Amino acid sequence: MQIPAVKPSDVGLRLAKIVKCAISWDEHVRNFYSVDASSYTIKPQVVAFPRNESDVIKIIKFAKRYHIPVTPRGAGTGLVGSALGRGIILDMQNFDRIKLGASHVEVGSGVFKGRLDKILKKQDRVIGPDPSIGPFCTIGGMIGTNASGIHSLKYGSVIDNIIQVRMIGSSGNVIKLPGKYNAKGMIKKIHLSDNTFPKVSKNSCGYRIDKVFAEKDLHKLIAGSEGTLGIITSAKLRTYPSPKNILLYVIHYKTLSDAARDTPKILGLGPSAVELVDSNITKHIKMTVPSSTGCLLFVEFDGTVQGRKQIHKITSGKIIKTESNAAQVKKIWSFRNSALAYSLQSITKNETMPTLIEDAVVPVKRLPLLLKILGMISKKYGLRTIVYGHAGNGNLHIRPVLKQKDLGIIKNIAVEFFSAVIGIGGSITGEHGDGLARSEFVKLQYDAKTYSIFKDIKKQFDPENILNPGKKISSYSTVTRNLKI
Ligand SMILES: Cc1cc2nc3c(=O)[nH]c(=O)nc-3n(C[C@H](O)[C@H](O)[C@H](O)COP(=O)(O)OP(=O)(O)OC[C@H]3O[C@@H](n4cnc5c(N)ncnc54)[C@H](O)[C@@H]3O)c2cc1C
């Protein structure tokens, strides 16, 4: 999408005339919003802080009139540049309402997960998806990426937990899903498609039409839509009783493949989490681990799951810690949740570890094959890699460590890795989404018929392509454009 050549101050001043909320085109503010937790940078023209739906509606109508892209943003912890855009950034922090129900919560899209967790704790309840970034992401961002986390084995992703969405559409209309929305034609097309979705436990690639069987499921389409179909103002999410009687095992393996081979057997015991960190990360955690450690598996059980007693019999690794004290369990999980920070400590000043192939997911029994593919690609390109992630879901966060001067090979690595992942029945992204890193590969993931339905969906919700253009549906390559590293 071409952005009209107007000065940011012109856009800001015009916008300030029609809406009362804070608007900034200050250089520092634009710089702050030009990055997220990804490897990309794009400077917006203006940042707006709508106070309510009426502000969002006015901004959207303005953006439509002048063909300026609008990108909603939560906390900017996304890893693929999906909250970056050239036009107007909508910081949704003022959408901060929380209304508790008995087994659900209605929550504003700008609410930080940490705040919601604290309020739910008083009710002794939790929401299921729990990204490792912990309290620092927002509900809007979690829905935008179809986030999950270390307990997705038990609770699934956002798409499995979302009951209702309220959003502002591309013409400034309020859309409540499920609800009245002219989608009959769309549903028919979705049904007609023999869509070839990978059989994996989580997937944030493209639009999730595989979960839409009727109009009552239309809200699921918004999970993972990255702000391309509407600006979410609030949502209703399922809540669960806080888990009790937690038991955590830390298991040592000499190689990643040994742990990968054990994972399906461990899943048979009914754990609530099976997470992995490799030796790049174990070097930094404050726990004594054997010198031969290739990786650790963190395996958690809760409730009355009987399988926990069998773990000694079925694992080929060595259990180096068994913990049931709540504070200690929390501490051990903090080691896993800090994996990205520890990874950064494992590279030198001249090295970089771009987000790109960091979120592949495959059927769990194919994890050893995924590691084999990674080994072949690493050998071909002389790469060192850092590996951690949600082994129980077959979802590995892989960071290739590159020298700045070698960034030119990123696209080749991506094409080879993604083709192989798709070839073994996986998805190129399990939870982080497509964004700038992967949107151009969505058409590699799905067949032509499915991709054309994605395009129809985008057209129906956003005919003029003003909502976060270039994400999900992409007509040009963005994988190496705007890299900040
Ligand atoms: C250290 C670290 C660990 C992480 N661990 C995990 C993990 O375990 N699991 C996981 O799933 N992710 C993880 N992530 C990725 C990220 O934290 C999640 O994707 C998170 O849900 C993003 O939330 P956010 O508020 O930062 O969203 P942002 O980055 O601000 O936005 C993400 C997307 O959502 C869209 N969006 C935001 N608000 C709205 C709205 N109101 N309406 C419509 N669209 C909107 C944006 O346009 C963008 O496309 C991790 C990231 C880091 C840095």
Side-chain angles (χ1 to χ4, degrees):
M1 184 185 197
Q2 284 291 340
I3 308 275
V6 270
K7 284 198 285 185
S9 56
D10 289 346
V11 179
L13 286 167
R14 272 193 240 172
L15 205 47
K17 275 190 192 148
I18 60 149
V19 77
K20 293 271 175 294
C21 68
I23 310 276
S24 181
W25 55 96
D26 178 278
E27 205 61 15
H28 296 300
V29 174
R30 290 172 62 216
N31 283 340
F32 179 85
Y33 286 87
S34 71
V35 290
D36 58 3
S38 73
S39 309
Y40 298 96
T41 176
I42 295 179
K43 202 164 176 171
Q45 287 181 316
V46 165
V47 182
F49 302 81
R51 299 157 306 168
N52 47 40
E53 288 187 343
S54 157
D55 285 346
V56 178
I57 290 168
K58 285 177 188 157
I59 296 169
I60 294 285
K61 286 186 173 166
F62 171 90
K64 193 175 170 188
R65 173 141 41 102
Y66 295 105
H67 287 279
I68 301 172
V70 178
T71 301
R73 175 166 171 131
T77 67
L79 289 162
V80 286
S82 55
L84 304 180
R86 290 186 193 290
I88 303 170
I89 298 287
L90 288 187
D91 183 321
M92 300 298 286
Q93 60 179 272
N94 294 321
F95 290 77
D96 59 356
R97 212 173 64 102
I98 296 177
K99 193 172 162 210
L100 295 175
S103 55
H104 71 265
V105 60
E106 271 178 64
V107 55
S109 57
V111 169
F112 275 78
K113 182 174 180 288
R115 190 175 144 234
L116 180 61
D117 288 344
K118 272 191 193 150
I119 290 175
L120 284 172
K121 202 173 175 190
K122 292 182 197 153
Q123 249 194 351
D124 205 17
R125 296 187 77 80
V126 293
I127 57 164
D130 57 346
S132 301
I133 189 73
F136 305 110
C137 58
T138 67
I139 298 305
M142 288 177 66
I143 300 171
T145 55
N146 186 25
S148 49
I150 59 178
H151 290 100
S152 52
L153 270 184
K154 182 172 175 181
Y155 303 110
S157 309
V158 163
I159 202 164
D160 307 301
N161 288 277
I162 193 158
I163 302 169
Q164 207 172 67
V165 178
R166 187 176 163 100
M167 61 184 196
I168 307 301
S170 66
S171 13
N173 49 326
V174 175
I175 303 173
K176 208 168 145 190
L177 298 174
K180 278 189 194 144
Y181 186 76
N182 182 18
K184 282 221 166 66
M186 204 160 78
I187 300 287
K188 211 166 164 192
K189 271 191 199 150
I190 290 173
H191 274 302
L192 283 177
S193 106
D194 58 340
N195 61 69
T196 45
F197 273 75
K199 307 277 178 288
V200 283
S201 59
K202 61 209 299 213
N203 181 9
S204 288
C205 185
Y207 296 122
R208 291 293 306 276
I209 58 174
D210 59 319
K211 292 272 183 177
V212 178
F213 303 102
E215 279 170 57
K216 68 174 174 43
D217 309 313
L218 266 182
H219 58 297
K220 302 214 166 195
L221 212 48
I222 308 307
S225 64
E226 296 179 10
T228 61
L229 303 181
I231 312 296
I232 303 159
T233 54
S234 67
K236 199 191 259 191
L237 301 174
R238 198 159 285 139
T239 64
Y240 301 88
S242 301
K244 299 277 179 314
N245 195 20
I246 291 172
L247 184 64
L248 181 62
Y249 294 100
V250 180
I251 312 177
H252 154 274
Y253 290 91
K254 285 195 175 136
T255 68
L256 284 167
S257 304
D258 291 342
R261 271 192 296 272
D262 258 13
T263 301
K265 286 188 276 170
I266 295 172
L267 288 182
L269 306 179
S272 47
V274 180
E275 296 284 303
L276 175 143
V277 293
D278 80 359
S279 56
N280 290 289
I281 290 150
T282 56
K283 268 190 265 177
H284 299 279
I285 64 180
K286 290 187 182 64
M287 188 195 294
T288 313
V289 295
S291 58
S292 59
T293 302
C295 71
L296 296 176
L297 273 190
F298 298 77
V299 179
E300 186 197 87
F301 294 90
D302 70 13
T304 52
V305 175
Q306 288 301 309
R308 60 178 75 195
K309 294 180 189 142
Q310 306 294 317
I311 192 136
H312 296 270
K313 290 189 196 150
I314 64 138
T315 175
S316 66
K318 184 174 174 223
I319 297 175
I320 59 168
K321 203 162 188 61
T322 305
E323 191 57 71
S324 59
N325 173 282
Q328 289 302 318
V329 165
K330 200 171 164 194
K331 188 170 161 197
I332 296 174
W333 274 131
S334 78
F335 298 145
R336 157 63 189 97
N337 286 338
S338 303
L340 180 53
Y342 294 141
S343 306
L344 285 164
Q345 288 172 29
S346 310
I347 63 172
T348 64
K349 261 191 204 152
N350 300 324
E351 289 176 327
T352 178
M353 35 173 251
T355 48
L356 178 62
I357 59 164
E358 89 303 338
D359 196 31
V361 55
V362 296
V364 181
K365 61 178 190 306
R366 300 206 178 126
L367 266 180
L369 201 50
L370 178 68
L371 290 168
K372 208 166 167 188
I373 289 163
L374 179 66
M376 280 158 58
I377 293 177
S378 303
K379 195 167 169 202
K380 177 171 174 187
Y381 291 99
L383 295 176
R384 174 165 82 87
T385 53
I386 299 174
V387 180
Y388 60 92
H390 314 290
N393 289 99
N395 180 206
L396 292 188
H397 299 324
I398 298 165
R399 294 294 189 115
V401 180
L402 294 171
K403 299 261 181 323
Q404 303 280 354
K405 64 177 174 48
D406 292 335
L407 282 173
I409 60 172
I410 284 187
K411 190 158 176 179
N412 295 348
I413 295 171
V415 171
E416 288 175 35
F417 182 76
F418 292 157
S419 305
V421 166
I422 295 164
I424 61 169
S427 164
I428 61 177
T429 170
E431 55 180 24
H432 297 163
D434 297 314
L436 296 168
R438 284 186 284 265
S439 287
E440 71 196 76
F441 301 108
V442 174
K443 39 177 121 46
L444 191 66
Q445 177 77 60
Y446 299 103
D447 61 7
K449 203 167 171 186
T450 303
Y451 191 69
S452 89
I453 294 172
F454 291 173
K455 288 210 277 194
D456 286 350
I457 288 170
K458 172 69 176 169
K459 222 176 192 139
Q460 171 139 355
F461 278 91
D462 182 22
E464 291 174 50
N465 197 24
I466 60 155
L467 297 176
N468 212 4
K471 317 291 168 27
K472 296 279 157 191
I473 304 295
S474 159
S475 54
Y476 54 90
S477 175
T478 50
V479 56
T480 52
R481 264 191 216 187
N482 306 306
L483 277 172
K484 69 176 179 222
I485 45 180

